[in-house]
Amino acid sequence: MLAILAAGSIFFPGLFLLSKQCLKTIPGLRWSEGDAVIVSARLVSSVQAVMASSAGYIIASSCEDIIEDQHWLTSTYIMFAVPYFVYDIYAMFMCYWYKLRVKGHEEASAAPQYMSSALTSYLRREFLMVLHHVVMVTVCFPVSVFWRQGKGDYFQGIMFMAELSTPSVCLGKILIQYKQQHTLLHKVNGALMLITFFICRVLLFPYLYYVYGRYASIPFHMVPLSVPWHCNLGAALLMAPQLYWFSLICRGALRLFTGTSRSQRPHATAAAPKELQTDGSTVPQPANGYSTLSTEPELATH
């Protein structure tokens, strides 16, 4: 167990550092530190998503009995992926930090008090995403590895496959970061993100309830009354942020496909008083890509 945790602790930060260094040093690229950090963070998230989805498919397809069948990859991948959620909190902050610097904070970039202010702003702005990551480590990890007692590997595999939406989310962030909202790729990726997020995250728990209803030979609407209360509570707590983020994706998609974007209103941004841009909490888009601002052109992301 400790060896698997150690492997994850080395793999995800190591991939991030390797990617960042390559983007900064490869001839023809030589990206800035900030650009390399932001793109590397998206790359690691996409790699983790592909690994989790692949593991989930292998697990789910191997379980004929959705309650009793077990697969060794279930607990193994959970332990391997736990360090990712810890690393990703740091990576999201670094993305947020460099976005602040791009927005005109270079003069304060070395000040410790400014770093502290940026951290406070980041935690306030990204509270829901940080909370989600903390819960994954402190609650979902022990529940999935120890409390389940080897039951329900099929359900765990299906939940892994929720990560299928993440690569399109990350690509959307990168395209927005480099102002490619006008491209066909951004529109196609936005549609793909909307579809995959809805299928893989919004329909996730209704599907699991449906599968259990078939297994137990009970009607779908009776499933919540037939499973333990803590299962319903856990599903509700995990489902709530997905619905919120999906609502932001829908708002972003509406702006994208109706042509309402910041790129079409350049004077609105230019007219903002510079002194309003000195507060890190008011300027950059959220590090996770979700935005509740009506003027934000991007599609929401994970």
Side-chain angles (χ1 to χ4, degrees), residues 86-157:
V86 178
Y87 142 82
D88 198 45
I89 294 175
Y90 165 79
M92 288 192 300
F93 172 69
M94 293 306 298
C95 291
Y96 185 84
W97 170 250
Y98 279 106
K99 287 173 186 175
L100 283 180
R101 297 182 65 178
V102 168
K103 293 294 184 178
H105 294 276
E106 294 86 347
E107 69 280 0
S109 62
Q113 63 271 24
Y114 181 72
M115 176 67 81
S116 175
S117 175
L119 179 60
T120 301
S121 174
Y122 161 72
L123 292 175
R124 181 173 64 250
R125 193 179 184 92
E126 304 296 338
F127 175 77
L128 185 59
M129 182 60 73
V130 173
L131 178 63
H132 172 267
H133 280 42
V134 170
V135 169
M136 292 297 291
V137 175
T138 61
V139 178
C140 294
F141 166 61
V143 167
S144 298
V145 174
F146 303 110
W147 183 79
R148 288 189 309 114
Q149 297 181 338
K151 295 184 181 297
D153 280 21
Y154 174 84
F155 295 99
Q156 192 67 60

Side-chain angles (χ1 to χ4, degrees), residues 151-202:
K151 295 184 181 297
D153 280 21
Y154 174 84
F155 295 99
Q156 192 67 60
I158 294 296
M159 293 181 70
F160 284 164
M161 294 177 67
E163 292 290 337
L164 274 171
S165 63
T166 300
S168 60
V169 164
C170 292
L171 178 58
K173 293 180 186 179
I174 294 173
L175 292 173
I176 290 167
Q177 181 68 24
Y178 296 101
K179 305 185 186 307
Q180 298 299 307
Q181 296 95 318
H182 62 283
T183 63
L184 177 61
L185 176 60
H186 181 65
K187 290 180 170 60
V188 172
N189 183 71
L192 180 63
M193 178 170 61
L194 184 69
I195 295 170
T196 55
F197 198 98
F198 177 71
I199 294 175
C200 298
R201 293 179 180 266
V202 175

